[in-house]
Amino acid sequence: MALSGFEGFEKRLELHFSGDDPVGLRRLDFLALEQVLDAVQCTVVSAIGNPFFDAYVLSESSLFVYPNKIVIKTCGTTQLLKSIPSLLTHALELGLNVCGCKYTRGSFIFPKAQPFPHTSFREEVLYLEESLPGNLCYRKACILPSKASSSSSHSWHVYSASDQHRVDHLSNIFTIEVCMTELDRVLARRFFRQCDDGYSGDVAGREMTAATGIGNINPSAIVCDFGFDPCGYSMNGIDGGDYSTIHVTPEDGYSYASFECIGCKFEEIGEVLKKVVRIFRPGTMSVSMTIGEEGVQGMCSRVASALKPLGLDSRSCRIEDFPAAGSVTFQTFTTRRK
């Protein structure tokens, strides 16, 4: 917990592994996962799985475990990158070798509250460089800034490392990460619990999901949700091999919500973003997408066109290519009242 308030902006780590075991990382038992999360300083509060992967709601955000991929997303003052040594050791014991890494985060609301190695992006990159094996030779670190004149400056930090010589084209499927601040105060109140409501976190989470319309973003998804006491919300939605996840810090002054999904098709993204914006009505918003090279053209304009009727105007758009990892787009939006 930051002295000024809770840090909503997440750090996100994605590791890919090569190996022949069809179960792979899903063989990790709960004790092994606890060891990884202990290093990060968070715990599991709820879990769900299907034939494709396992999804965990954490005390600070989410964890997704596929046979050959793991994604950890944590907020607050967690030390996410400290999970890497333990993860690589456990994976090696399973006969898996890391073949790709991606780390992303936005600009912290309370940067001075962050512990090592998250005190700066430079320190994070140095820690990554020292923690990853030498076979990940295609490396790049980059900060994608918004317009310097923006009333709420926000940048996107990306580090990528891979041992692959080419991008694995994702056809029309990609990853999207959305960060929202200055949430509508009335809508944000739905993520506060009643005093002494007697509910478990799971029951409170289900009520929040139903009251806010979050369950309608992808009606075919199975939702695992959790409502924190006295406020805050997290959910993971699983749909086949795809997931979506939402995390909310609703307090006035530093309100924040994030939405992430993997597997959403290009033609669906506009409608998905509209549903998300209507739930939170943010004053500022950023949208980052990781796309195979073939899908970059037109995506920024597609997103801007979807958000404009909702009162969010595009303030900046950046595109950066990463070796053997695709392209990352970063757009920022503010309401017209700004």
Side-chain angles (χ1 to χ4, degrees):
M1 174 74 74
L3 294 177
S4 305
F6 188 80
E7 179 61 68
F9 274 94
E10 297 101 344
K11 317 164 184 86
R12 181 185 186 276
L13 176 68
E14 179 176 329
L15 293 172
H16 291 256
F17 297 85
S18 59
D20 299 324
D21 186 349
V23 180
L25 293 168
R26 298 185 75 184
R27 293 191 187 278
L28 292 174
D29 59 26
F30 192 70
L31 178 60
L33 293 177
E34 280 188 319
Q35 290 173 348
V36 172
L37 295 174
D38 280 347
V40 178
Q41 297 182 327
C42 62
T43 58
V44 173
V45 298
S46 191
I48 194 173
N50 66 13
F52 300 94
F53 68 105
D54 301 309
Y56 301 85
V57 175
L58 305 179
S59 54
E60 282 84 10
S61 299
S62 293
L63 164 68
F64 303 95
V65 182
Y66 290 79
N68 295 98
K69 177 177 73 174
I70 192 163
V71 178
I72 311 181
K73 187 171 187 174
T74 63
C75 55
T77 55
T78 50
Q79 297 168 286
L80 176 60
L81 295 183
K82 289 190 175 181
S83 66
I84 295 176
S86 180
L87 278 172
L88 297 187
T89 297
H90 286 303
L92 193 60
E93 291 171 351
L94 295 173
L96 301 172
N97 295 299
V98 63
C99 61
C101 171
K102 181 186 174 191
Y103 174 69
T104 57
R105 69 167 175 86
S107 298
F108 295 128
I109 301 174
F110 308 109
K112 293 183 179 179
Q114 291 296 318
F116 176 85
H118 300 285
T119 48
S120 70
F121 187 54
R122 180 179 180 275
E123 289 293 339
E124 290 171 322
V125 171
L126 287 173
Y127 190 91
L128 283 158
E129 294 281 272
E130 293 172 357
S131 300
L132 296 171
N135 65 298
L136 303 187
C137 54
Y138 296 89
R139 304 187 181 200
K140 182 175 180 177
C142 184
I143 300 177
L144 284 68
S146 60
K147 284 185 177 179
S149 59
S150 173
S151 59
S152 55
S153 180
H154 176 58
S155 300
W156 195 242
H157 305 68
V158 186
Y159 174 89
S160 174
S162 177
D163 69 353
Q164 300 174 6
H165 293 263
R166 62 181 179 82
V167 174
D168 291 328
H169 293 301
L170 302 179
S171 182
N172 65 336
I173 296 177
F174 61 104
T175 301
I176 183 167
E177 298 175 69
V178 179
C179 301
M180 296 166 281
T181 57
E182 301 173 42
L183 310 183
D184 180 278
R185 291 188 177 186
V186 174
L187 298 178
R189 294 302 302 178
R190 297 178 177 180
F191 298 99
F192 283 80
R193 291 174 57 170
Q194 295 294 324
C195 183
D196 299 322
D197 59 19
Y199 292 158
S200 66
D202 299 295
V203 172
R206 284 196 295 273
E207 287 208 342
M208 292 177 185
T209 299
T212 58
I214 284 173
N216 297 325
I217 295 176
N218 179 7
S220 64
I222 300 171
V223 173
C224 179
D225 38 25
F226 196 89
F228 295 90
D229 190 12
C231 65
Y233 169 86
S234 289
M235 69 78 76
N236 294 328
I238 64 175
D239 182 10
D242 304 331
Y243 73 74
S244 59
T245 184
I246 290 176
H247 304 283
V248 186
T249 301
E251 294 95 326
D252 290 345
Y254 49 92
S255 62
Y256 171 83
S258 67
F259 169 77
E260 177 186 331
C261 67
I262 184 169
C264 182
K265 296 179 173 57
F266 285 176
E267 60 270 18
E268 299 171 347
I269 190 56
E271 290 305 311
V272 169
L273 287 175
K274 288 178 182 178
K275 291 179 181 180
V276 172
V277 168
R278 288 177 180 131
I279 291 169
F280 298 104
R281 292 288 177 183
T284 63
M285 178 176 180
S286 70
V287 180
S288 177
M289 295 176 287
T290 301
I291 313 171
E293 288 178 342
E294 294 177 347
V296 176
Q297 296 302 320
M299 281 309 301
C300 289
S301 60
R302 184 189 293 266
V303 170
S305 296
L307 297 180
K308 191 174 183 64
L310 300 181
L312 285 163
D313 288 337
S314 177
R315 300 303 181 189
S316 62
C317 179
R318 312 278 174 164
I319 301 175
E320 192 76 22
D321 294 327
F322 287 81
S327 298
V328 173
T329 70
F330 177 63
Q331 294 171 265
T332 58
F333 300 85
T334 61
T335 55
R336 290 167 195 157
R337 65 177 180 269
K338 287 187 169 295

